[in-house]
Amino acid sequence: MKLYNKSELMPLLESFGFNFSKSLGQNFLIDKNILDKIINNSNINKNTNVLEIGPGAGTLTYELCKCAKKVVSVEIDNALIPILEHNLSKFSNFTLINNDIMKIDLKKLIEDNFGSEKFIVAANLPYYITTPIIMNIFEGSFNVESMILMIQKEVADRIYADPGTKDYGALTVGVGFYASPEIICQAPPHCFTPQPKISSVVIKLNVYENSPYHVNNKEMFFKTVKSVFSQRRKTLVNSLSGSPFINCDKRDIEKALSNMGLDIKIRGEKLDIEQLAALSNYLFKN
Ligand code: SAM
């Protein structure tokens, strides 16, 4: 089955009376080269468990099922269920779940399907849930090895940004705290049907077993990060002392900055993840 061939995919979708939904971010992959890059870079083998988000017609799912031990795909659109059942019928290692990935109990889903075994996440993500789903998976502390994801280029730029640049922000730090990101390839609009207005990128997030950034208190670290980037035009001292998320005395922040050898007029967006971690450790001892 060559679902990446538009001439095979479209008649099949039509035979099921399927109509694409814009609001569900339905842009199906029709580029074999990109598909191969996703599979080849995901290091899948017969021992790998895969959680796929948004299988669509099953183009990526089909290739995942050929290589992996087990593939569990979560699809929200009822109209795609009979199509997926038809397209993936020959695979006994495939489980389809008709649900919303943002509402499902992720912990239970993972325990029920993978037990305590490691798994990877593979997805051509619907754009409207890209950031929350990535962060939900990280924050769940699951046994996830890596995530190979098709995302908007603009989000990839924010994940991969350097401190002090306009793209650097809470997402860069949030992802970088948990994983080392790797750009796999670009995917221009013509790689999908229907064509989206924007370009996409395949990115791999290699999840750390233990984050290289030591923080005394993860919750306070992330609140510090949120405070810094929600008021990024202010100096670090002003954004933290005026933050509604944390309670910090101006003098303690200035003391922490001078202990770290940083100018007290510095803006928070100049600090890399290590410096943000050190700062939150100064401010929140436990
Ligand atoms: N994986 C397919 C491919 O590459 O051709 C389809 C990718 S398409 C960009 C996104 C898919 O995610 C669609 O099938 C859409 O119905 C599904 N989807 C959208 N929102 C979802 C949600 N909240 N939970 C699960 N699936 C969702």
Side-chain angles (χ1 to χ4, degrees), residues 140-274:
S141 305
F142 304 120
N143 208 353
V144 57
E145 261 183 302
S146 62
M147 300 196 220
I148 189 142
L149 309 169
M150 175 80 76
I151 59 176
Q152 307 95 298
K153 182 178 175 304
E154 171 257 322
V155 177
D157 289 345
R158 287 200 280 134
I159 289 177
Y160 220 75
D162 286 326
T165 61
K166 75 168 181 17
D167 286 327
Y168 184 67
L171 183 64
T172 325
V173 177
V175 171
F177 180 81
Y178 291 106
S180 126
E182 190 185 339
I183 303 280
I184 304 299
C185 62
Q186 311 281 328
H190 65 77
C191 300
F192 306 91
T193 190
Q195 287 194 20
K197 290 204 172 69
I198 48 166
S199 274
S200 303
V201 165
V202 178
I203 191 167
K204 187 174 180 195
L205 305 177
N206 301 293
V207 183
Y208 299 124
E209 257 187 61
N210 295 300
S211 174
Y213 306 105
H214 166 76
V215 291
N216 296 337
N217 182 326
K218 203 151 88 175
E219 190 191 338
M220 294 318 290
F221 168 68
F222 279 106
K223 283 188 173 170
T224 304
V225 171
K226 195 168 162 186
S227 307
V228 165
F229 292 106
S230 57
Q231 310 229 32
R232 57 190 299 154
R233 298 179 70 84
K234 291 188 176 175
T235 65
L236 181 64
V237 173
N238 285 341
S239 59
L240 291 188
S241 59
S243 166
F245 312 115
I246 55 177
N247 192 2
C248 272
D249 186 74
K250 224 172 190 168
R251 270 164 310 181
D252 289 339
I253 307 165
E254 287 175 352
K255 204 163 131 201
L257 287 178
S258 64
N259 277 338
M260 291 168 65
L262 295 171
D263 184 342
I264 59 160
K265 290 210 159 42
I266 197 167
R267 284 190 186 175
E269 64 190 15
K270 298 266 183 212
L271 272 64
D272 64 20
I273 306 178
E274 192 152 5

Side-chain angles (χ1 to χ4, degrees), residues 78-94:
N78 300 339
L80 286 167
I81 302 306
I83 302 175
L84 285 160
E85 282 167 349
H86 171 268
N87 291 349
L88 283 311
S89 60
K90 73 172 194 179
F91 295 107
S92 58
N93 59 345
F94 174 60

Side-chain angles (χ1 to χ4, degrees), residues 24-29 54-56 74-76 80 100-101 124 126 128:
L24 291 177
Q26 290 177 343
N27 304 99
F28 293 177
L29 186 61
V74 181
E75 174 56 61
I76 195 172
L80 286 167
D100 180 342
I101 194 70
N124 172 8
Y128 75 106

